[in-house]
Amino acid sequence: MHSAVFLIEFGAVVLALGLLGRFAVRMKFSPIPLYLLAGLVFGSGGIVPLGGSEDFIEVGAEIGVVLLLLMLGLEYTAGDLVGHLKTHAPAGAVDFVLNALPGAAAALLLGWGPVAAVVLAGVTWVSSSGVIAKVLGDLGWLGNRETPVILSVLVLEDLAMALYLPILTALLAGAGWAAGGLTLAIALVAVGTVLLVAVRYGRVISRFISSDDPEKLLLVVLGLTLLVAGLAQQLQVSAAVGAFLVGIALSGEVAENTHHLLMPLRDLFAAVFFVFFGLSTDPTTMVPVLVPALVLAVFTALTKIATGYWAAKRAGIGERGRWRAGGALVARGEFSIVIAGLAVASGLEPALGPLATAYVLLLVIIGPLAARFTEPVAGRLTGRRRKRSATATATTASDTASTKASGTASEPAADPRPAGSKPAAATSSGADRH
């Protein structure tokens, strides 16, 4: 009987996700907010609470996080990460200051304490790579000059997460400074070692894992990823970071084939992950934090636009491309939910989960709109400002010319002749006579 209830419930959830995803594709926006809303509907306090399948959905959500980060790691090589770190580090620093600090300040103003400030800083800091990649493809911007700048900011955020998540895990576990420092040291060594091995021996690793049989390749990569993620979790480094590092270590044809094989699994379990986060949030708890979430969303949307504009300007991109880069970076998504999920699981602050859910919902909806309309709106505003400036300059110049002309007509011309010479009228009459 229990298995029948489980199959009915889980089947209904997956079917609902499929229909919501199809609707999102038709409407040309990200399905993430719909998945979160589905979780709110199915969860406690929602319309249809689940009982028999919630434990399995929780496990599926953990696998979803692992696969999200694995697929993200497959997008980059170790050389790419090192190169982006050297070239675009100032943009990453500006991104952190403009977008992480507002989240930390908001948590402190709400009286949630320093650990919650670290959590909310991460929630507001990191843009959604998945949503942004989809938006760039939908808008046909993949070949634009500003697109490498956008991707560089995302790469730096992803790399920063490899250090941020272990620190956050240690803080949430209540570890002291010594244990926290040890966790950070382990994370630094792990990241550095993986990058070094991937740069020097990435091809060897890829050849070892490679297989012409898709089934065997899928089993080896998935098994290795889950194993490394589990070991990382055991070391308090975060399963997500372990999966990300596995993705970085794979390159070439193996990475490409793995990407195609795992994409359907990633989509399934990622959807389950977003649903589970919604399940763990009571919709009624979102009402008190809706105003702070809206204020924070609007403010950090503007700071993300400023980040992209500055980074694109530094790279020598034109005015329109700068605004497009800023608008494209607005969306938050998977990483923000992962970070908030860690905090919710630790029981840190009851209102943090609802605030993060409302915040991500708002920016996942606002993000694609900001990507599409930031540049034209900014162009109109700057065009009007320039037109007003040009009109004011022309008016000033006209007034100056009129003043000069008026002065010339009303004031007698200075007599160039020396004192004591004949009057001008006599001289003129003499000249006329001759």
Side-chain angles (χ1 to χ4, degrees):
M1 184 64 180
H2 177 71
S3 62
V5 172
F6 161 74
L7 291 174
I8 292 171
E9 288 185 354
F10 189 67
V13 170
V14 173
L15 177 61
L17 295 179
L19 296 175
L20 291 173
R22 181 180 296 180
F23 175 75
V25 169
R26 288 187 177 181
M27 301 302 295
K28 295 184 177 180
F29 66 90
S30 170
I32 291 176
L34 298 182
Y35 296 157
L36 287 171
L37 289 173
L40 294 173
V41 170
F42 285 118
S44 57
I47 301 172
V48 187
L50 299 179
S53 60
E54 191 164 352
D55 291 340
F56 180 81
I57 290 176
E58 182 176 1
V59 175
E62 294 181 8
I63 296 175
V65 173
V66 168
L67 292 179
L68 277 170
L69 274 294
L70 170 64
M71 297 291 280
L72 193 61
L74 290 172
E75 298 291 336
Y76 312 121
T77 65
D80 291 337
L81 289 177
V82 174
H84 283 298
L85 185 61
K86 291 180 179 178
T87 306
H88 300 286
V94 170
D95 184 29
F96 171 79
V97 171
L98 291 183
N99 298 287
L101 296 186
L108 294 176
L109 288 174
L110 291 169
W112 291 352
V115 177
V118 175
V119 173
L120 200 55
V123 170
T124 60
W125 177 12
V126 186
S127 298
S128 171
S129 300
V131 174
I132 292 171
K134 188 176 187 309
V135 168
L136 292 177
D138 291 343
L139 296 178
W141 290 0
L142 293 176
N144 287 10
R145 286 193 62 208
E146 71 274 4
T147 298
V149 176
I150 298 170
L151 297 178
S152 297
V153 173
L154 296 177
V155 169
L156 289 171
E157 289 178 349
D158 296 337
L159 189 58
M161 286 297 101
L163 302 179
Y164 169 85
L165 288 176
I167 297 173
L168 179 63
T169 303
L171 291 175
L172 293 174
W177 287 104
L182 178 61
T183 301
L184 178 59
I186 292 172
L188 288 171
V189 171
V191 172
T193 302
V194 169
L195 290 178
L196 179 63
V197 171
V199 168
R200 293 190 176 183
Y201 308 107
R203 294 182 179 178
V204 176
I205 296 171
S206 297
R207 281 200 302 268
F208 175 75
I209 294 176
S210 179
S211 174
D212 294 331
D213 188 340
E215 178 186 350
K216 293 181 176 61
L217 178 62
L218 175 63
L219 292 174
V220 169
V221 173
L222 185 59
L224 177 64
T225 302
L226 293 175
L227 177 62
V228 172
L231 291 174
Q233 187 80 5
Q234 193 69 24
L235 294 172
Q236 300 295 315
V237 175
S238 170
V241 172
F244 182 65
L245 295 177
V246 171
I248 292 172
L250 301 179
S251 60
E253 187 178 353
V254 171
E256 185 177 349
N257 292 339
T258 301
H259 189 278
H260 290 304
L261 288 172
L262 287 177
M263 188 175 293
L265 277 178
R266 189 276 310 268
D267 292 342
L268 170 62
F269 284 104
V272 170
F273 164 69
F274 290 117
V275 167
F276 177 73
F277 190 80
L279 287 174
S280 59
T281 304
D282 188 341
T284 58
T285 61
M286 293 176 59
V287 177
V289 296
L290 194 57
V291 172
L294 179 60
V295 172
L296 193 59
V298 172
F299 186 81
T300 53
L302 296 176
T303 56
K304 272 293 181 183
I305 292 173
T307 299
Y309 186 95
W310 186 89
K313 181 179 179 181
R314 182 175 178 272
I317 306 299
E319 184 79 13
R320 295 178 63 185
R322 297 173 195 173
W323 289 115
R324 285 195 297 266
L329 288 170
V330 167
R332 300 334 191 256
E334 54 272 14
F335 253 131
S336 299
I337 297 297
V338 169
I339 294 166
L342 292 173
V344 170
S346 69
L348 175 63
E349 171 61 47
L352 186 55
L355 176 66
T357 303
Y359 176 80
V360 171
L361 275 172
L362 289 168
L363 284 183
V364 166
I365 295 170
I366 294 172
L369 298 176
R372 183 169 297 183
F373 296 112
T374 295
E375 184 269 321
V377 170
R380 289 183 181 180
L381 293 176
T382 54
R384 289 177 182 175
R385 193 181 307 118
R386 288 171 183 168
K387 187 175 180 180
R388 285 197 300 268
S389 177
T391 303
T393 303
T395 302
T396 303
S398 177
D399 292 344
T400 303
S402 299
T403 302
K404 288 182 178 179
S406 174
T408 303
S410 60
E411 294 178 8
D415 192 347
R417 293 175 298 120
S421 59
K422 294 181 181 179
T427 306
S428 299
S429 59
D432 291 339
R433 282 195 303 267
H434 288 87

